[in-house]
Amino acid sequence: MGLVLDFSVVLDRWQALLDGATLTLQLAFIAVVCGAAIGVFGAIGRRSGNALVERLWGAYVEAIRNTPLLVQIFLVYFGLSSLGLQFSAFTVAAVALTINVGAYTTEIMRAGFDSIHKGQIEAAEGLGLSKAQIYWHVIIWPGIERVYPALTSQFVLLMLASSVTSQISAEELTAVANYIQSETYRSFETYIVVALIYVALSFIMRFGFWLLGLALFPRRRRLGTPL
Amino acid sequence: MGGALNINHLLFLGHGALWTIGLSAIALIGGGSFGFLVALGRVSPSRAVRLLAATYVQIIQGTPLLVIMFLSFFGLAALGLNISPLLAAGASMTIFVAAYLGEIWRGCIEAVPKQQWEAAEGLALSRSQRMIKVILPQAIRIATPPTVGFMVQIVKNTSLASVVGFVELTRSGQIINNSLFEPFIIYSIIALVYFSLCYPLSRLSRRLERTALHKKPALA
């Protein structure tokens, strides 16, 4: 058969694609913000010195990191509904993605917090800072600063992984693509366009995180290198 | 509908698990071979080859595996190529794994100390001799822990082959669920099987990493 690519029918639906991409970014945003919060608490828990707390956070991290996101999404989706709770697909998707990225963030942040030299903490103690102050000024921010590139790539991977939530019919970009290809029978063109949108989104996200890094870590900006 | 989970269901899941392992092996072998070429391309002396390899990595790492799966299954079918789920899933995994392993291995090749490159050059080894006899043996040692770690990602990502109808572990769970409708139990079992496949790999990767940290390379 003759190979004729026709992108126009796909591009005509740019409005739907734009809506899907927006939803993808919304999902990623919610999961990144909540996941980062989980990560900070998780990393603190993982190095709390309390064996039970460390075990529990460790179990959470290992359980999430060694099972596929797709299965996690199904478990959250059917788990919540078997408890009699009905949520929209978007909520379920956001919850599942948050739980997922929280585990990875915990592990990355723990590595960052562990990399803070003991002398720094002792110096802070010597200056009479409270425990909370030490955590905030000496461990959390400098720790995050060191692992910021790893966090950034993890968050971009999360945005890409959010495509999996199309399987519980959250109306994000991949779900929109499935809909368009079933309507137009132009599956090759549809998925090419969507793949390019994802590539663009990941570039936008990386650029955004780079800017955010400049704003969050002025020291790094001045020195031009991570600490 | 209905009925309880019985031994036949579990056998069916076991069959699916075998395909998960099989697809992971295909992905590792296919993606590994192709990824090796990508890694070599990334450190090639030719600027054009470097650019080509980098573009490949950027595009694949910026695209979700799910979309790559759809692209090779529905997309190639729409172009008139008849493609089986196994072929679509295997090809997608290969393309996907090659981009990530290629990038990991590039890092490992570049992590071989500069003096080794210079010494090999000083001994008048040709470029291929230098690669094969000096750089790669050392790079392989550096590459082992992250490669084992990435195998966890491979096993987990084969779950996405379920969307193109490839009956691996997740898909066989979905099929059983369609007749029993006990999603929570079935997906818990599936999660457990994945965990028992992945956790040993995670542990092994971490152990290799630790021993690699303690053992300084013999030549440095």
Side-chain angles (χ1 to χ4, degrees):
Chain A
M1 68 167 257
L3 170 56
V4 186
L5 291 180
D6 179 9
F7 285 98
S8 61
V9 287
V10 180
L11 296 176
D12 281 348
R13 289 165 170 76
W14 63 271
Q15 189 78 55
L17 290 169
L18 190 67
D19 289 346
T22 312
L23 210 73
T24 290
L25 284 181
Q26 273 173 14
L27 273 177
F29 181 77
I30 294 172
V32 163
V33 171
C34 302
I38 293 179
V40 170
F41 286 113
I44 293 173
R46 284 275 264 164
R47 27 180 289 130
S48 64
N50 179 327
L52 181 67
V53 173
E54 283 180 10
R55 275 272 169 90
L56 283 175
W57 277 108
Y60 160 65
V61 169
E62 293 299 342
I64 296 299
R65 295 215 311 169
N66 290 299
T67 51
L69 175 62
L70 181 59
V71 176
Q72 291 163 12
I73 289 173
F74 284 143
L75 274 175
V76 173
Y77 187 62
F78 292 115
L80 286 177
S81 62
S82 71
L83 292 176
L85 300 166
Q86 292 293 328
F87 290 107
S88 69
F90 181 83
T91 313
V92 175
V95 169
L97 288 172
T98 300
I99 293 174
N100 180 272
V101 79
Y104 287 91
T105 313
T106 297
E107 209 47 14
I108 296 173
M109 288 205 180
R110 186 176 68 111
F113 295 178
D114 282 350
S115 78
I116 302 296
H117 198 273
K118 241 185 130 158
Q120 299 253 335
I121 297 163
E122 286 164 0
E125 279 167 355
L127 289 170
L129 295 191
S130 72
K131 212 166 174 178
Q133 282 176 318
I134 294 178
Y135 249 109
W136 185 251
H137 294 292
V138 183
I139 300 179
I140 294 182
W141 280 108
I144 291 179
E145 184 173 349
R146 286 190 192 178
V147 291
Y148 190 68
L151 281 177
T152 304
S153 351
Q154 191 61 50
F155 292 154
V156 173
L157 282 178
L158 165 86
M159 185 275 290
L160 297 176
S162 73
S163 62
V164 177
T165 62
S166 61
Q167 295 303 302
I168 54 166
S169 57
E171 290 295 313
E172 46 66 74
L173 188 51
T174 305
V176 170
N178 294 344
Y179 177 70
I180 291 179
Q181 73 97 15
S182 70
E183 227 187 14
T184 62
Y185 297 103
R186 288 284 173 187
S187 37
F188 194 67
E189 292 90 332
T190 308
Y191 290 116
I192 286 276
V193 169
V194 167
L196 290 177
I197 296 177
Y198 272 111
V199 172
L201 287 182
S202 58
F203 273 110
I204 292 171
M205 249 180 110
R206 270 191 219 138
F207 181 66
F209 275 115
W210 178 74
L211 285 181
L212 185 69
L214 289 185
L216 286 180
F217 310 115
R219 235 177 351 181
R220 182 183 201 132
R221 187 173 61 216
R222 236 175 290 130
L223 298 173
T225 62
L227 287 172
Chain B
M1 303 253 190
L5 196 67
N6 62 35
I7 189 77
N8 288 324
H9 295 124
L10 294 180
L11 282 177
F12 190 63
L13 280 182
H15 192 254
L18 283 182
W19 271 113
T20 288
I21 297 171
L23 184 59
S24 305
I26 293 172
L28 183 66
I29 295 167
S33 328
F34 190 27
F36 182 63
L37 294 181
V38 172
L40 287 182
R42 290 282 272 138
V43 297
S44 158
S46 151
R47 207 190 140 95
V49 174
R50 279 204 308 269
L51 197 71
L52 195 70
T55 311
Y56 173 77
V57 169
Q58 283 296 328
I59 289 182
I60 299 301
Q61 291 200 348
T63 312
L65 175 59
L66 192 63
V67 172
I68 301 176
M69 289 272 181
F70 283 137
L71 201 52
S72 53
F73 188 65
F74 297 113
L76 293 180
L79 293 183
L81 296 165
N82 216 336
I83 224 176
S84 71
L86 173 62
L87 194 61
S92 312
M93 288 299 295
T94 297
I95 293 170
F96 173 80
V97 168
Y100 283 85
L101 275 186
E103 199 60 7
I104 293 173
W105 289 345
R106 172 189 69 98
C108 297
I109 291 175
E110 286 177 347
V112 174
K114 194 102 198 142
Q115 296 90 318
Q116 296 284 324
W117 297 76
E118 292 165 357
E121 221 175 277
L123 290 170
L125 297 184
S126 72
R127 190 176 160 83
S128 55
Q129 282 176 322
R130 178 172 50 166
M131 259 308 175
I132 294 165
K133 297 197 167 154
V134 180
I135 305 302
L136 289 180
Q138 300 182 65
I140 287 170
R141 216 180 312 157
I142 305 172
T144 310
T147 305
V148 175
F150 189 72
M151 279 163 65
V152 176
Q153 305 292 328
I154 296 180
V155 174
K156 287 191 298 179
N157 278 319
T158 56
S159 65
L160 295 185
S162 60
V163 300
V164 295
F166 182 72
V167 186
E168 39 63 74
L169 185 54
T170 306
R171 184 83 195 120
S172 54
Q174 286 171 334
I175 292 170
I176 293 176
N177 184 41
N178 286 342
S179 73
L180 294 181
F181 211 74
E182 290 277 9
F184 197 69
I185 298 172
I186 292 168
Y187 287 117
S188 300
I189 295 173
I190 290 173
L192 225 81
V193 177
Y194 274 111
F195 186 82
S196 53
L197 289 176
C198 293
Y199 188 62
L201 287 172
S202 300
R203 288 292 293 264
L204 178 65
S205 158
R206 230 169 301 154
R207 211 177 58 213
L208 288 170
E209 222 166 277
R210 228 172 296 137
T211 44
L213 265 181
H214 290 309
K215 231 187 334 187
K216 284 265 169 260
L219 319 142

